[in-house]
Amino acid sequence: LAKTTQPISMDSYEGQEVNITCSHNNIATNDYITWYQQFPSQGPRFIIQGYKTKVTNEVASLFIPADRKSSTLSLPRVSLSDTAVYYCLVGDEDYQLIWGAGTKLIIKP
Amino acid sequence: GAVVSQHPSRVICKSGTSVKIECRSLDFQATTMFWYRQFPKQSLMLMATSNEGSKATYEQGVEKDKFLINHASLTLSTLTVTSAHPEDSSFYICSARHRAGNTIYFGEGSWLTVV
């Protein structure tokens, strides 16, 4: 299972674009990259998943370089409600087994 | 997106009693369900993995006789905390892997307080 490294915390302001980068140097060929968002006292919420290049959905984009040793979650025009902990997970069927500390994102007015 | 529901969301029980938490996948079939616990300001810790119709696989350090997991159908898994003690108080979260893919969806979590 690939270990992931994320910044412990980040601050930004409403309306800004926020990019959170995750390092996963030992990613395997079959591994996917998945990001979750968690609010206090709630279960994690699936945000986005990708394998390579760029993936975009209605809430975020995921950028994955060719070597796949890192990935960047991009949140466009954040609001106060985006304040949460964001987790990056890497793996195939077992990617949910190990959860890192995540990145605590604080959005300021 | 797919919905996973947990019940109850909050429960208080007396020390020594048992409490059951249910996890249901509401709009999809889940071949595998997972149970986690999370202490305040900490990350999720996987407790066990259960496949429908078979015994759960517990992570190291998790007592299988204390945390009973039943996965009777493709849409329901239960976690029973037996002989609960105050140190079992925690936030318990379940997740389910969609049968059609490898995306995993989480329940809302259940707060257990043992007094």
mmCIF file of all heavy atoms in Angstrom, chain A residues 41-83:
data_model
loop_
_atom_site.group_PDB
_atom_site.id
_atom_site.type_symbol
_atom_site.label_atom_id
_atom_site.label_comp_id
_atom_site.label_asym_id
_atom_site.label_seq_id
_atom_site.Cartn_x
_atom_site.Cartn_y
_atom_site.Cartn_z
ATOM 1 N N SER A 41 -17.520 15.141 13.063
ATOM 2 C CA SER A 41 -18.623 14.253 13.441
ATOM 3 C C SER A 41 -19.443 13.752 12.255
ATOM 4 O O SER A 41 -20.638 13.488 12.384
ATOM 5 C CB SER A 41 -19.553 14.960 14.446
ATOM 6 O OG SER A 41 -18.859 15.281 15.619
ATOM 7 N N GLN A 42 -18.812 13.637 11.110
ATOM 8 C CA GLN A 42 -19.470 13.047 9.951
ATOM 9 C C GLN A 42 -18.531 12.048 9.288
ATOM 10 O O GLN A 42 -17.314 12.120 9.445
ATOM 11 C CB GLN A 42 -19.857 14.123 8.932
ATOM 12 C CG GLN A 42 -20.926 15.092 9.409
ATOM 13 C CD GLN A 42 -21.386 16.024 8.295
ATOM 14 O OE1 GLN A 42 -21.322 15.681 7.111
ATOM 15 N NE2 GLN A 42 -21.859 17.200 8.663
ATOM 16 N N GLY A 43 -19.109 11.114 8.550
ATOM 17 C CA GLY A 43 -18.285 10.203 7.793
ATOM 18 C C GLY A 43 -17.654 10.907 6.603
ATOM 19 O O GLY A 43 -18.157 11.930 6.140
ATOM 20 N N PRO A 44 -16.540 10.390 6.112
ATOM 21 C CA PRO A 44 -15.901 11.006 4.944
ATOM 22 C C PRO A 44 -16.824 10.982 3.724
ATOM 23 O O PRO A 44 -17.625 10.065 3.555
ATOM 24 C CB PRO A 44 -14.674 10.106 4.702
ATOM 25 C CG PRO A 44 -14.408 9.476 6.020
ATOM 26 C CD PRO A 44 -15.752 9.278 6.634
ATOM 27 N N ARG A 45 -16.681 12.004 2.904
ATOM 28 C CA ARG A 45 -17.483 12.097 1.689
ATOM 29 C C ARG A 45 -16.573 11.997 0.484
ATOM 30 O O ARG A 45 -15.574 12.713 0.389
ATOM 31 C CB ARG A 45 -18.256 13.408 1.660
ATOM 32 C CG ARG A 45 -19.172 13.596 0.459
ATOM 33 C CD ARG A 45 -19.971 14.876 0.593
ATOM 34 N NE ARG A 45 -19.171 16.065 0.321
ATOM 35 C CZ ARG A 45 -19.151 16.727 -0.828
ATOM 36 N NH1 ARG A 45 -19.876 16.300 -1.837
ATOM 37 N NH2 ARG A 45 -18.412 17.808 -0.966
ATOM 38 N N PHE A 46 -16.895 11.110 -0.437
ATOM 39 C CA PHE A 46 -16.105 10.934 -1.646
ATOM 40 C C PHE A 46 -16.122 12.230 -2.462
ATOM 41 O O PHE A 46 -17.170 12.820 -2.697
ATOM 42 C CB PHE A 46 -16.702 9.793 -2.476
ATOM 43 C CG PHE A 46 -16.084 9.615 -3.833
ATOM 44 C CD1 PHE A 46 -14.937 8.871 -3.986
ATOM 45 C CD2 PHE A 46 -16.665 10.186 -4.960
ATOM 46 C CE1 PHE A 46 -14.369 8.695 -5.246
ATOM 47 C CE2 PHE A 46 -16.109 10.014 -6.209
ATOM 48 C CZ PHE A 46 -14.952 9.272 -6.355
ATOM 49 N N ILE A 47 -14.932 12.676 -2.879
ATOM 50 C CA ILE A 47 -14.851 13.875 -3.712
ATOM 51 C C ILE A 47 -14.551 13.502 -5.150
ATOM 52 O O ILE A 47 -15.286 13.851 -6.072
ATOM 53 C CB ILE A 47 -13.743 14.826 -3.221
ATOM 54 C CG1 ILE A 47 -13.988 15.272 -1.791
ATOM 55 C CG2 ILE A 47 -13.687 16.058 -4.150
ATOM 56 C CD1 ILE A 47 -12.846 16.120 -1.239
ATOM 57 N N ILE A 48 -13.441 12.797 -5.353
ATOM 58 C CA ILE A 48 -12.998 12.538 -6.715
ATOM 59 C C ILE A 48 -12.008 11.388 -6.719
ATOM 60 O O ILE A 48 -11.341 11.136 -5.708
ATOM 61 C CB ILE A 48 -12.381 13.818 -7.327
ATOM 62 C CG1 ILE A 48 -12.315 13.748 -8.857
ATOM 63 C CG2 ILE A 48 -11.018 14.112 -6.722
ATOM 64 C CD1 ILE A 48 -12.041 15.112 -9.502
ATOM 65 N N GLN A 49 -11.922 10.717 -7.847
ATOM 66 C CA GLN A 49 -10.978 9.614 -7.997
ATOM 67 C C GLN A 49 -10.381 9.658 -9.399
ATOM 68 O O GLN A 49 -11.092 9.988 -10.361
ATOM 69 C CB GLN A 49 -11.680 8.277 -7.778
ATOM 70 C CG GLN A 49 -10.776 7.056 -7.820
ATOM 71 C CD GLN A 49 -11.555 5.767 -7.591
ATOM 72 O OE1 GLN A 49 -12.321 5.308 -8.430
ATOM 73 N NE2 GLN A 49 -11.359 5.185 -6.418
ATOM 74 N N GLY A 50 -9.091 9.338 -9.481
ATOM 75 C CA GLY A 50 -8.450 9.336 -10.792
ATOM 76 C C GLY A 50 -7.304 8.356 -10.860
ATOM 77 O O GLY A 50 -6.825 7.853 -9.832
ATOM 78 N N TYR A 51 -6.867 8.102 -12.082
ATOM 79 C CA TYR A 51 -5.730 7.210 -12.300
ATOM 80 C C TYR A 51 -4.552 7.974 -12.916
ATOM 81 O O TYR A 51 -3.421 7.811 -12.473
ATOM 82 C CB TYR A 51 -6.123 6.049 -13.209
ATOM 83 C CG TYR A 51 -5.029 5.044 -13.415
ATOM 84 C CD1 TYR A 51 -4.761 4.090 -12.443
ATOM 85 C CD2 TYR A 51 -4.237 5.070 -14.570
ATOM 86 C CE1 TYR A 51 -3.734 3.174 -12.620
ATOM 87 C CE2 TYR A 51 -3.212 4.160 -14.744
ATOM 88 C CZ TYR A 51 -2.969 3.216 -13.777
ATOM 89 O OH TYR A 51 -1.938 2.320 -13.945
ATOM 90 N N LYS A 52 -4.830 8.790 -13.906
ATOM 91 C CA LYS A 52 -3.763 9.601 -14.501
ATOM 92 C C LYS A 52 -4.363 10.837 -15.150
ATOM 93 O O LYS A 52 -5.593 10.953 -15.267
ATOM 94 C CB LYS A 52 -2.978 8.795 -15.527
ATOM 95 C CG LYS A 52 -3.804 8.303 -16.707
ATOM 96 C CD LYS A 52 -2.941 7.531 -17.673
ATOM 97 C CE LYS A 52 -3.777 7.015 -18.857
ATOM 98 N NZ LYS A 52 -2.939 6.237 -19.805
ATOM 99 N N THR A 53 -3.531 11.751 -15.513
ATOM 100 C CA THR A 53 -3.842 13.038 -16.149
ATOM 101 C C THR A 53 -4.789 13.853 -15.305
ATOM 102 O O THR A 53 -4.502 14.156 -14.163
ATOM 103 C CB THR A 53 -4.365 12.835 -17.586
ATOM 104 O OG1 THR A 53 -5.580 12.084 -17.559
ATOM 105 C CG2 THR A 53 -3.332 12.114 -18.426
ATOM 106 N N LYS A 54 -5.918 14.223 -15.873
ATOM 107 C CA LYS A 54 -6.820 15.137 -15.166
ATOM 108 C C LYS A 54 -8.225 14.577 -15.130
ATOM 109 O O LYS A 54 -8.732 14.042 -16.107
ATOM 110 C CB LYS A 54 -6.818 16.501 -15.859
ATOM 111 C CG LYS A 54 -7.785 17.512 -15.250
ATOM 112 C CD LYS A 54 -7.786 18.812 -16.050
ATOM 113 C CE LYS A 54 -8.824 19.790 -15.518
ATOM 114 N NZ LYS A 54 -8.871 21.036 -16.320
ATOM 115 N N VAL A 55 -8.839 14.727 -13.973
ATOM 116 C CA VAL A 55 -10.226 14.334 -13.810
ATOM 117 C C VAL A 55 -10.970 15.526 -13.228
ATOM 118 O O VAL A 55 -10.457 16.207 -12.337
ATOM 119 C CB VAL A 55 -10.364 13.129 -12.855
ATOM 120 C CG1 VAL A 55 -11.825 12.740 -12.703
ATOM 121 C CG2 VAL A 55 -9.545 11.949 -13.354
ATOM 122 N N THR A 56 -12.137 15.781 -13.725
ATOM 123 C CA THR A 56 -12.939 16.906 -13.229
ATOM 124 C C THR A 56 -14.374 16.453 -13.010
ATOM 125 O O THR A 56 -14.927 15.727 -13.824
ATOM 126 C CB THR A 56 -12.909 18.077 -14.230
ATOM 127 O OG1 THR A 56 -11.576 18.550 -14.358
ATOM 128 C CG2 THR A 56 -13.772 19.234 -13.725
ATOM 129 N N ASN A 57 -14.935 16.888 -11.893
ATOM 130 C CA ASN A 57 -16.356 16.677 -11.678
ATOM 131 C C ASN A 57 -16.977 17.994 -11.227
ATOM 132 O O ASN A 57 -16.343 19.051 -11.327
ATOM 133 C CB ASN A 57 -16.622 15.526 -10.704
ATOM 134 C CG ASN A 57 -16.039 15.762 -9.323
ATOM 135 O OD1 ASN A 57 -15.789 16.904 -8.924
ATOM 136 N ND2 ASN A 57 -15.810 14.683 -8.611
ATOM 137 N N GLU A 58 -18.171 17.949 -10.697
ATOM 138 C CA GLU A 58 -18.897 19.180 -10.390
ATOM 139 C C GLU A 58 -18.330 19.911 -9.180
ATOM 140 O O GLU A 58 -18.656 21.077 -8.953
ATOM 141 C CB GLU A 58 -20.384 18.878 -10.179
ATOM 142 C CG GLU A 58 -20.684 17.946 -9.023
ATOM 143 C CD GLU A 58 -20.585 16.477 -9.390
ATOM 144 O OE1 GLU A 58 -20.075 16.165 -10.501
ATOM 145 O OE2 GLU A 58 -21.005 15.639 -8.569
ATOM 146 N N VAL A 59 -17.493 19.266 -8.394
ATOM 147 C CA VAL A 59 -16.997 19.926 -7.187
ATOM 148 C C VAL A 59 -15.485 20.157 -7.190
ATOM 149 O O VAL A 59 -14.991 21.028 -6.466
ATOM 150 C CB VAL A 59 -17.372 19.139 -5.920
ATOM 151 C CG1 VAL A 59 -18.871 19.094 -5.758
ATOM 152 C CG2 VAL A 59 -16.777 17.759 -5.911
ATOM 153 N N ALA A 60 -14.726 19.392 -7.957
ATOM 154 C CA ALA A 60 -13.271 19.496 -7.878
ATOM 155 C C ALA A 60 -12.613 18.972 -9.146
ATOM 156 O O ALA A 60 -13.253 18.361 -9.997
ATOM 157 C CB ALA A 60 -12.764 18.707 -6.678
ATOM 158 N N SER A 61 -11.313 19.240 -9.207
ATOM 159 C CA SER A 61 -10.483 18.657 -10.259
ATOM 160 C C SER A 61 -9.318 17.940 -9.598
ATOM 161 O O SER A 61 -8.875 18.333 -8.510
ATOM 162 C CB SER A 61 -9.956 19.731 -11.214
ATOM 163 O OG SER A 61 -11.003 20.329 -11.942
ATOM 164 N N LEU A 62 -8.846 16.923 -10.262
ATOM 165 C CA LEU A 62 -7.716 16.151 -9.761
ATOM 166 C C LEU A 62 -6.671 16.102 -10.864
ATOM 167 O O LEU A 62 -6.957 15.642 -11.979
ATOM 168 C CB LEU A 62 -8.159 14.744 -9.383
ATOM 169 C CG LEU A 62 -7.088 13.789 -8.867
ATOM 170 C CD1 LEU A 62 -6.421 14.350 -7.614
ATOM 171 C CD2 LEU A 62 -7.696 12.424 -8.571
ATOM 172 N N PHE A 63 -5.486 16.609 -10.539
ATOM 173 C CA PHE A 63 -4.393 16.628 -11.500
ATOM 174 C C PHE A 63 -3.358 15.589 -11.099
ATOM 175 O O PHE A 63 -2.874 15.587 -9.962
ATOM 176 C CB PHE A 63 -3.754 18.016 -11.549
ATOM 177 C CG PHE A 63 -4.695 19.091 -11.989
ATOM 178 C CD1 PHE A 63 -5.425 19.820 -11.068
ATOM 179 C CD2 PHE A 63 -4.853 19.384 -13.334
ATOM 180 C CE1 PHE A 63 -6.304 20.815 -11.471
ATOM 181 C CE2 PHE A 63 -5.724 20.376 -13.752
ATOM 182 C CZ PHE A 63 -6.457 21.096 -12.818
ATOM 183 N N ILE A 64 -3.005 14.743 -12.033
ATOM 184 C CA ILE A 64 -2.041 13.681 -11.773
ATOM 185 C C ILE A 64 -0.963 13.741 -12.851
ATOM 186 O O ILE A 64 -1.261 13.553 -14.034
ATOM 187 C CB ILE A 64 -2.731 12.306 -11.794
ATOM 188 C CG1 ILE A 64 -3.917 12.281 -10.816
ATOM 189 C CG2 ILE A 64 -1.737 11.190 -11.435
ATOM 190 C CD1 ILE A 64 -4.819 11.082 -10.959
ATOM 191 N N PRO A 65 0.292 13.997 -12.463
ATOM 192 C CA PRO A 65 1.356 14.073 -13.465
ATOM 193 C C PRO A 65 1.653 12.701 -14.042
ATOM 194 O O PRO A 65 1.186 11.683 -13.529
ATOM 195 C CB PRO A 65 2.542 14.620 -12.664
ATOM 196 C CG PRO A 65 2.262 14.202 -11.264
ATOM 197 C CD PRO A 65 0.775 14.236 -11.110
ATOM 198 N N ALA A 66 2.465 12.694 -15.085
ATOM 199 C CA ALA A 66 2.743 11.448 -15.796
ATOM 200 C C ALA A 66 3.371 10.378 -14.907
ATOM 201 O O ALA A 66 3.067 9.194 -15.042
ATOM 202 C CB ALA A 66 3.644 11.720 -16.998
ATOM 203 N N ASP A 67 4.231 10.789 -13.958
ATOM 204 C CA ASP A 67 4.887 9.773 -13.119
ATOM 205 C C ASP A 67 3.985 9.290 -11.983
ATOM 206 O O ASP A 67 4.330 8.331 -11.292
ATOM 207 C CB ASP A 67 6.214 10.289 -12.567
ATOM 208 C CG ASP A 67 6.052 11.467 -11.621
ATOM 209 O OD1 ASP A 67 4.897 11.839 -11.307
ATOM 210 O OD2 ASP A 67 7.066 12.036 -11.191
ATOM 211 N N ARG A 68 2.867 9.952 -11.771
ATOM 212 C CA ARG A 68 1.854 9.588 -10.777
ATOM 213 C C ARG A 68 2.394 9.551 -9.351
ATOM 214 O O ARG A 68 1.765 8.982 -8.467
ATOM 215 C CB ARG A 68 1.233 8.223 -11.120
ATOM 216 C CG ARG A 68 0.654 8.151 -12.495
ATOM 217 C CD ARG A 68 -0.428 7.119 -12.695
ATOM 218 N NE ARG A 68 -0.183 5.862 -12.024
ATOM 219 C CZ ARG A 68 -1.055 5.265 -11.219
ATOM 220 N NH1 ARG A 68 -2.228 5.832 -10.969
ATOM 221 N NH2 ARG A 68 -0.762 4.115 -10.669
ATOM 222 N N LYS A 69 3.505 10.169 -9.096
ATOM 223 C CA LYS A 69 4.058 10.153 -7.739
ATOM 224 C C LYS A 69 3.460 11.235 -6.858
ATOM 225 O O LYS A 69 3.795 11.354 -5.676
ATOM 226 C CB LYS A 69 5.585 10.307 -7.801
ATOM 227 C CG LYS A 69 6.277 9.100 -8.442
ATOM 228 C CD LYS A 69 7.773 9.260 -8.403
ATOM 229 C CE LYS A 69 8.473 8.084 -9.084
ATOM 230 N NZ LYS A 69 8.198 6.803 -8.406
ATOM 231 N N SER A 70 2.591 12.022 -7.415
ATOM 232 C CA SER A 70 1.886 13.025 -6.626
ATOM 233 C C SER A 70 0.544 13.288 -7.298
ATOM 234 O O SER A 70 0.312 12.852 -8.443
ATOM 235 C CB SER A 70 2.687 14.319 -6.535
ATOM 236 O OG SER A 70 2.777 14.932 -7.814
ATOM 237 N N SER A 71 -0.295 13.984 -6.589
ATOM 238 C CA SER A 71 -1.566 14.403 -7.179
ATOM 239 C C SER A 71 -1.994 15.690 -6.494
ATOM 240 O O SER A 71 -1.582 15.962 -5.352
ATOM 241 C CB SER A 71 -2.642 13.324 -7.026
ATOM 242 O OG SER A 71 -2.867 13.017 -5.671
ATOM 243 N N THR A 72 -2.790 16.468 -7.181
ATOM 244 C CA THR A 72 -3.247 17.740 -6.633
ATOM 245 C C THR A 72 -4.751 17.844 -6.752
ATOM 246 O O THR A 72 -5.306 17.743 -7.854
ATOM 247 C CB THR A 72 -2.592 18.928 -7.358
ATOM 248 O OG1 THR A 72 -1.174 18.854 -7.191
ATOM 249 C CG2 THR A 72 -3.098 20.251 -6.795
ATOM 250 N N LEU A 73 -5.380 18.037 -5.620
ATOM 251 C CA LEU A 73 -6.816 18.273 -5.587
ATOM 252 C C LEU A 73 -7.027 19.777 -5.709
ATOM 253 O O LEU A 73 -6.452 20.554 -4.946
ATOM 254 C CB LEU A 73 -7.414 17.774 -4.268
ATOM 255 C CG LEU A 73 -8.890 18.110 -4.033
ATOM 256 C CD1 LEU A 73 -9.771 17.273 -4.955
ATOM 257 C CD2 LEU A 73 -9.277 17.885 -2.570
ATOM 258 N N SER A 74 -7.843 20.181 -6.642
ATOM 259 C CA SER A 74 -8.102 21.594 -6.853
ATOM 260 C C SER A 74 -9.568 21.892 -6.577
ATOM 261 O O SER A 74 -10.465 21.289 -7.176
ATOM 262 C CB SER A 74 -7.749 21.989 -8.296
ATOM 263 O OG SER A 74 -7.980 23.362 -8.501
ATOM 264 N N LEU A 75 -9.786 22.812 -5.656
ATOM 265 C CA LEU A 75 -11.142 23.239 -5.301
ATOM 266 C C LEU A 75 -11.333 24.659 -5.812
ATOM 267 O O LEU A 75 -10.678 25.596 -5.339
ATOM 268 C CB LEU A 75 -11.329 23.198 -3.787
ATOM 269 C CG LEU A 75 -11.050 21.870 -3.103
ATOM 270 C CD1 LEU A 75 -11.123 22.034 -1.588
ATOM 271 C CD2 LEU A 75 -12.039 20.813 -3.560
ATOM 272 N N PRO A 76 -12.207 24.868 -6.797
ATOM 273 C CA PRO A 76 -12.387 26.203 -7.361
ATOM 274 C C PRO A 76 -13.271 27.074 -6.475
ATOM 275 O O PRO A 76 -14.264 26.590 -5.927
ATOM 276 C CB PRO A 76 -13.071 25.917 -8.695
ATOM 277 C CG PRO A 76 -13.836 24.661 -8.447
ATOM 278 C CD PRO A 76 -13.024 23.854 -7.460
ATOM 279 N N ARG A 77 -12.918 28.317 -6.308
ATOM 280 C CA ARG A 77 -13.758 29.298 -5.620
ATOM 281 C C ARG A 77 -14.350 28.732 -4.322
ATOM 282 O O ARG A 77 -15.559 28.518 -4.202
ATOM 283 C CB ARG A 77 -14.880 29.779 -6.534
ATOM 284 C CG ARG A 77 -14.378 30.519 -7.763
ATOM 285 C CD ARG A 77 -15.541 30.990 -8.630
ATOM 286 N NE ARG A 77 -16.348 29.880 -9.127
ATOM 287 C CZ ARG A 77 -16.012 29.111 -10.134
ATOM 288 N NH1 ARG A 77 -14.865 29.298 -10.758
ATOM 289 N NH2 ARG A 77 -16.803 28.117 -10.528
ATOM 290 N N VAL A 78 -13.484 28.508 -3.369
ATOM 291 C CA VAL A 78 -13.928 27.903 -2.110
ATOM 292 C C VAL A 78 -14.822 28.851 -1.321
ATOM 293 O O VAL A 78 -14.763 30.075 -1.458
ATOM 294 C CB VAL A 78 -12.727 27.473 -1.247
ATOM 295 C CG1 VAL A 78 -11.962 26.343 -1.920
ATOM 296 C CG2 VAL A 78 -11.816 28.657 -0.938
ATOM 297 N N SER A 79 -15.617 28.250 -0.459
ATOM 298 C CA SER A 79 -16.464 29.009 0.453
ATOM 299 C C SER A 79 -16.186 28.530 1.873
ATOM 300 O O SER A 79 -15.446 27.566 2.085
ATOM 301 C CB SER A 79 -17.947 28.798 0.109
ATOM 302 O OG SER A 79 -18.299 27.439 0.286
ATOM 303 N N LEU A 80 -16.788 29.206 2.834
ATOM 304 C CA LEU A 80 -16.570 28.846 4.236
ATOM 305 C C LEU A 80 -16.936 27.389 4.503
ATOM 306 O O LEU A 80 -16.335 26.720 5.338
ATOM 307 C CB LEU A 80 -17.379 29.762 5.147
ATOM 308 C CG LEU A 80 -16.981 31.243 5.145
ATOM 309 C CD1 LEU A 80 -17.947 32.038 6.025
ATOM 310 C CD2 LEU A 80 -15.550 31.434 5.611
ATOM 311 N N SER A 81 -17.927 26.893 3.780
ATOM 312 C CA SER A 81 -18.398 25.526 3.995
ATOM 313 C C SER A 81 -17.416 24.468 3.493
ATOM 314 O O SER A 81 -17.643 23.277 3.709
ATOM 315 C CB SER A 81 -19.752 25.331 3.312
ATOM 316 O OG SER A 81 -19.630 25.500 1.917
ATOM 317 N N ASP A 82 -16.370 24.901 2.837
ATOM 318 C CA ASP A 82 -15.344 23.945 2.392
ATOM 319 C C ASP A 82 -14.308 23.684 3.479
ATOM 320 O O ASP A 82 -13.392 22.878 3.285
ATOM 321 C CB ASP A 82 -14.642 24.464 1.132
ATOM 322 C CG ASP A 82 -15.557 24.479 -0.077
ATOM 323 O OD1 ASP A 82 -16.283 23.480 -0.281
ATOM 324 O OD2 ASP A 82 -15.560 25.493 -0.821
ATOM 325 N N THR A 83 -14.437 24.359 4.607
ATOM 326 C CA THR A 83 -13.553 24.101 5.737
ATOM 327 C C THR A 83 -13.789 22.671 6.215
ATOM 328 O O THR A 83 -14.897 22.317 6.617
ATOM 329 C CB THR A 83 -13.827 25.086 6.880
ATOM 330 O OG1 THR A 83 -13.462 26.400 6.456
ATOM 331 C CG2 THR A 83 -13.033 24.708 8.122
#
